[in-house]
Amino acid sequence: MSVLLETGAGDIVIDLLVDYAPKMCENFLKLCKVKYYNFSPIHSVQKSFSFQTGDPLGPMAPQSDGGTSIWGLLSGDPADRTFTALFHPKLKHLERGTVSMATAPHPSDPDRRVAASQFIVTLGDNTDYLDGKAAIFGKVVEGFDVLEKINDAIVDDRGHPLVDIRIKHTVILDDPYPDPAGLREPSSSPPPTKEQLATVRIAEDEELLDEEANEEAAAEAERRRKEREAAAQALTLEMMGDLPFAEVKPPENVLFVCKLNPVTTDEDLELIFSRFGKILSCEVIRDAKTGDSLQYAFIEFEDQKSCEEAYSKMDSVLIDDRRIHVDFSQSVSRLSQVWRNETNTKRRNAAARRGGGGWGGVKELEKRRQYRNEDVEPDDDRGYRMVYGVEDFHGRREKDEDSPRSRGRDLGRDEERRRRDERSPDRHRERYKSGHDGRRRDPERRSRSPKRDRYWDNRHDRREDAGRSWDDKERPRRDRRDQDRDRRDRKDRDRYHERDHYRRR
């Protein structure tokens, strides 16, 4: 069982859940059959949540009673205007397009909720807030694009669309219920009443005519929007330092030439384009490392008229077997470079007049740039440095050596050395004092005695072990142990041979 709703935003097909909510489905079907919903406004639009409709006059009309059920409409009895709404426990507002009857508490029994003719369609998923407040009886199976249009409609603070969206017509695709007594189906859709026409704010047809009449105004508004967006982007580039100022415009006397042959030089282009007027500069852009042509160039003319003439006559012309493309330059790099150089020169001159240096009169500010040193100007002392230049390190070291703190450290070291020499004997005189025979003892000349050799080695090793690692200290000790072991082996072998020789005697 399905119903087709024709609205100002498009058609919506609703499937009715007659097995779960039979009475509400019967009420909805019969109201659609008698064209009760025709010209009913869509109101209370909450973005990504829901919208409400079903009142022929809408909440803005003072004569509106909020709608009535099919039984109250046929009998005319106010007691039959509403009926008790039943909530099935398995039906929840979980997905977009859920259709449910709007309910209100009964005046005499707050635990019982009643419904009339108004219904709610959800515009988003997981709208469980409506569970227990709206009784589900159907779901949308076609027309989700219409739901998107209603969801994006411009509404006022009460959720009423500024341009009316109304139910134009209802079509019953299948009706399993018998008609109640007194129901008469109209042969055609009835026209809207005076009360309904009085609730119109901006009709749909008027809005379409207004769009056609104001097409130029819409184009002008789009142009202003693009200009504001471009101005915001230019301001961002100025803040980043890519533009000297946001209002900068590309020069009108500079041509951009691309698709050049790699063999084409600056002189070739200047000779070819000079017939249109005086050329101030002509430069083929080349790779900074290899020097190869990047196959595009910039040509600057003295006046704009010559530039325009060259543009109109030189586009798609063959130069060195290549068909070039010519256009007006959109680059502002040259203007930015000129502006930056002039600004830097003014700053340096102002700092020099004040007797200082660098930027703002402080030399260290120019040295402490967080960029790598590039070989763009190798002879210029103002090149970029990582943090400090080499001369800065030398200057800091000399300054540290001349500081009172450094001199104090040097004096302390000299005093400590002098006191240590007073406490210890003069090793130099001890090593070179004369022996019994009047000859000076040579420290490099060692004794033939193994004990003295061992004593000398130990004393020599202790003096040199201070600056060695653990392996360097351990290696001589292992060598000495090996020598001692070999020496003991030789003594044992000699003793054995002497004993053997004695026995043979």
Side-chain angles (χ1 to χ4, degrees), residues 10-81:
D11 297 343
I12 300 175
V13 177
I14 300 175
D15 273 359
L16 302 181
L17 306 174
V18 294
D19 295 335
Y20 296 93
K23 191 170 185 178
M24 288 185 292
C25 291
E26 180 183 3
N27 176 64
F28 181 75
L29 278 171
K30 300 309 176 182
L31 289 176
C32 292
K33 193 170 186 178
V34 298
K35 310 302 179 185
Y36 182 79
Y37 289 129
N38 282 24
F39 214 70
S40 297
I42 290 175
H43 60 88
S44 302
V45 178
Q46 302 181 52
K47 190 173 181 64
S48 300
F49 187 73
S50 68
F51 71 85
Q52 188 170 333
T53 186
D55 184 359
L57 296 179
M60 299 182 64
Q63 302 87 358
S64 174
D65 58 354
T68 180
S69 66
I70 186 63
W71 300 282
L73 181 65
L74 295 178
S75 65
D77 186 359
D80 295 334
R81 192 178 69 86

Side-chain angles (χ1 to χ4, degrees), residues 130-200:
L130 297 174
D131 292 343
K133 300 179 179 62
I136 300 174
F137 68 92
K139 59 181 180 179
V140 175
V141 293
E142 293 183 18
F144 288 96
D145 56 335
V146 181
L147 299 184
E148 286 294 332
K149 293 179 182 179
I150 298 174
N151 189 43
D152 297 335
I154 301 175
V155 299
D156 58 11
D157 55 349
R158 293 177 294 178
H160 302 325
L162 299 182
V163 180
D164 286 351
I165 304 176
R166 295 176 180 265
I167 297 176
K168 296 181 178 180
H169 195 63
T170 57
V171 179
I172 299 176
L173 303 179
D174 187 12
D175 182 9
Y177 299 101
D179 294 339
L183 188 145
R184 296 291 183 270
E185 183 179 358
S187 58
S188 61
S189 294
T193 62
K194 293 182 179 180
E195 292 81 5
Q196 289 177 325
L197 292 176
T199 61
V200 175

Side-chain angles (χ1 to χ4, degrees), residues 353-397:
R353 286 194 298 269
R354 292 193 298 267
W359 294 82
V362 182
K363 295 181 179 180
E364 286 75 7
L365 292 181
E366 191 170 2
K367 299 298 183 184
R368 291 176 62 108
R369 292 189 183 179
Q370 309 298 323
Y371 301 98
R372 291 184 177 178
N373 190 12
E374 299 181 359
D375 298 330
V376 179
E377 298 178 356
D379 298 333
D380 191 359
D381 188 53
R382 296 189 300 272
Y384 292 145
R385 285 165 169 76
M386 197 69 179
V387 175
Y388 284 100
V390 179
E391 67 277 4
D392 296 321
F393 285 109
H394 292 311
R396 289 175 60 188
R397 184 172 181 179

Side-chain angles (χ1 to χ4, degrees), residues 238-284:
E238 179 185 1
M239 296 171 62
M240 296 174 61
D242 292 342
L243 290 179
F245 45 92
E247 295 80 9
V248 66
K249 295 182 180 180
E252 298 179 351
N253 61 331
V254 178
L255 283 182
F256 170 74
V257 184
C258 62
K259 299 183 180 180
L260 293 173
N261 194 312
V263 301
T264 304
T265 62
D266 304 348
E267 292 79 7
D268 300 337
L269 283 181
E270 185 175 2
L271 180 62
I272 295 172
F273 281 85
S274 60
R275 64 189 182 91
F276 300 103
K278 184 177 180 180
I279 295 178
L280 300 180
S281 65
C282 179
E283 181 182 4
V284 175

Side-chain angles (χ1 to χ4, degrees), residues 263-501:
V263 301
T264 304
T265 62
D266 304 348
E267 292 79 7
D268 300 337
L269 283 181
E270 185 175 2
L271 180 62
I272 295 172
F273 281 85
S274 60
R275 64 189 182 91
F276 300 103
K278 184 177 180 180
I279 295 178
L280 300 180
S281 65
C282 179
E283 181 182 4
V284 175
I285 307 303
R286 300 182 178 277
D287 187 86
K289 294 183 178 180
T290 63
D292 297 336
S293 173
L294 299 180
Q295 303 178 24
Y296 68 92
F298 293 96
I299 303 176
E300 182 181 3
F301 288 88
E302 187 178 19
D303 54 77
Q304 181 180 352
K305 183 179 179 180
S306 302
C307 183
E308 294 175 353
E309 185 179 0
Y311 165 73
S312 61
K313 294 184 178 181
M314 293 301 296
D315 190 23
S316 300
V317 172
L318 283 172
I319 296 180
D320 294 333
D321 296 332
R322 289 290 182 90
R323 195 170 297 278
I324 66 172
H325 173 66
V326 180
D327 200 350
F328 290 100
S329 174
Q330 300 297 318
S331 174
V332 295
S333 60
R334 183 181 294 272
L335 296 177
S336 180
Q337 183 179 3
V338 171
W339 176 84
R340 189 179 296 109
N341 292 339
E342 292 179 355
T343 304
N344 295 346
T345 303
K346 291 179 182 179
R347 289 176 179 174
R348 292 193 185 97
N349 293 339
R353 286 194 298 269
R354 292 193 298 267
W359 294 82
V362 182
K363 295 181 179 180
E364 286 75 7
L365 292 181
E366 191 170 2
K367 299 298 183 184
R368 291 176 62 108
R369 292 189 183 179
Q370 309 298 323
Y371 301 98
R372 291 184 177 178
N373 190 12
E374 299 181 359
D375 298 330
V376 179
E377 298 178 356
D379 298 333
D380 191 359
D381 188 53
R382 296 189 300 272
Y384 292 145
R385 285 165 169 76
M386 197 69 179
V387 175
Y388 284 100
V390 179
E391 67 277 4
D392 296 321
F393 285 109
H394 292 311
R396 289 175 60 188
R397 184 172 181 179
E398 294 174 358
K399 187 183 297 185
D400 293 342
E401 291 178 354
D402 297 338
S403 62
R405 185 175 179 180
S406 177
R407 289 196 298 270
R409 288 197 300 267
D410 296 339
L411 291 176
R413 286 196 294 268
D414 295 340
E415 182 67 20
E416 184 180 357
R417 189 182 300 109
R418 185 181 61 80
R419 292 176 182 177
R420 185 171 62 252
D421 294 341
E422 289 178 356
R423 290 194 302 266
S424 61
D426 190 353
R427 297 182 178 180
H428 180 75
R429 287 181 295 176
E430 182 69 21
R431 290 173 61 187
Y432 286 94
K433 65 182 181 179
S434 301
H436 295 288
D437 54 357
R439 291 180 299 178
R440 299 183 65 87
R441 182 179 299 171
D442 188 358
E444 300 299 331
R445 182 178 179 182
R446 297 186 180 182
S447 173
R448 299 290 183 180
S449 174
K451 292 184 179 181
R452 291 185 180 181
D453 290 343
R454 188 180 309 165
Y455 170 73
W456 172 256
D457 292 339
N458 293 338
R459 186 177 63 180
H460 184 70
D461 292 338
R462 285 196 301 271
R463 186 168 63 251
E464 294 182 354
D465 281 347
R468 296 182 181 179
S469 62
W470 187 86
D471 293 336
D472 295 338
K473 295 177 182 179
E474 188 65 22
R475 189 176 297 108
R477 296 175 184 175
R478 290 197 299 266
D479 296 341
R480 288 196 301 273
R481 287 196 296 268
D482 295 340
Q483 293 176 2
D484 295 340
R485 186 173 59 254
D486 296 340
R487 192 179 297 110
R488 287 195 301 269
D489 294 341
R490 286 196 301 270
K491 288 183 178 180
D492 294 340
R493 188 169 54 254
D494 294 342
R495 190 179 303 112
Y496 174 77
H497 287 305
E498 291 177 358
R499 196 179 311 162
D500 189 28
H501 178 68

